[in-house]
Amino acid sequence: MTSFPATASRVRDDSLSPRRRRSHLRDCLYHFAPYGFHATWHHLATRHRIPGDIEVDPPSLVRALGELETARVLVLARAVAFAAQRRLQKQEGRRVPTTPHPWDSWGHHDIAYCPDPQKHPTEELSIVVERVLDAYAAGGDPAGRCLVCGDENPQPGRACRHCGVLPGGYGNPV
């Protein structure tokens, strides 16, 4: 499997057929899918109006990729900062992280996991991702309120009724 940047460059490659480029955009979601694969694809397809017949609007793929890359940059910056912090902690002899970093253990996937691909936040990915990362950095508890929309009545183990995000992410429902 190629890297996200290599796959993203193929989405932008006008020498490839639009169908092939759409396939590469979907491949990008194997590297970074903040809502989960299906919900992230649905979000990008509806938000950027990616048509079923991609020959009609190939630039929609590049628009969708731009939104995905913007959100990914936010996550990568936090991951680099966390890695630097962990190196310092390890040098000080602390082998267990003092602050949990749950979203990184998911491999930059499912940061705002939506179990129903049709129900996900409508805002840009970067806004939602930043909101979730900021909430975790501030010690936010997904059991108390939705980290995306702020709903204060989340049902344990169920997706938020307003934005569709599962508290705690995939595999860790609160």
Side-chain angles (χ1 to χ4, degrees):
M1 180 181 288
T2 60
S3 67
F4 183 95
T7 306
S9 70
R10 291 183 184 131
V11 174
R12 289 189 178 90
D13 186 352
D14 289 332
S15 69
L16 298 175
S17 75
R19 290 174 193 243
R20 189 79 179 132
R21 292 171 59 201
R22 178 178 55 202
S23 176
H24 287 300
L25 178 61
R26 290 181 63 92
D27 289 346
C28 286
L29 300 183
Y30 290 115
H31 298 283
F32 181 69
Y35 299 160
F37 182 89
H38 296 289
T40 303
W41 176 255
H42 186 266
H43 169 85
L44 293 172
T46 56
R47 187 170 176 82
H48 298 284
R49 298 177 305 282
I50 298 173
D53 179 11
I54 195 59
E55 308 288 336
V56 174
D57 187 15
S60 64
L61 300 171
V62 176
R63 292 192 306 267
L65 177 63
E67 180 177 351
L68 191 63
E69 286 177 318
T70 302
R72 183 173 176 268
V73 165
L74 295 172
V75 173
L76 293 179
R78 303 266 182 134
V80 167
F82 181 77
Q85 176 188 6
R86 283 297 296 135
R87 275 193 296 281
L88 290 175
Q89 289 173 348
K90 287 180 180 182
Q91 287 173 355
E92 295 169 355
R94 287 186 269 157
R95 295 293 177 206
V96 178
T98 56
T99 56
H101 193 241
W103 53 269
D104 189 44
S105 65
W106 303 328
H108 310 307
H109 283 283
D110 307 331
I111 292 168
Y113 178 68
C114 301
D116 179 357
Q118 305 280 322
K119 184 171 176 131
H120 47 75
T122 57
E123 299 167 300
E124 280 189 33
L125 288 173
S126 60
I127 292 170
V128 173
V129 166
E130 187 168 39
R131 194 175 293 149
V132 171
L133 297 180
D134 287 346
Y136 274 119
D141 180 13
R145 66 179 182 83
C146 177
L147 300 179
V148 175
C149 70
D151 180 22
E152 294 187 5
N153 273 330
Q155 297 177 349
R158 302 190 76 189
C160 176
R161 60 183 172 216
H162 298 291
C163 67
V165 173
L166 184 66
Y170 179 77
N172 297 317
V174 178

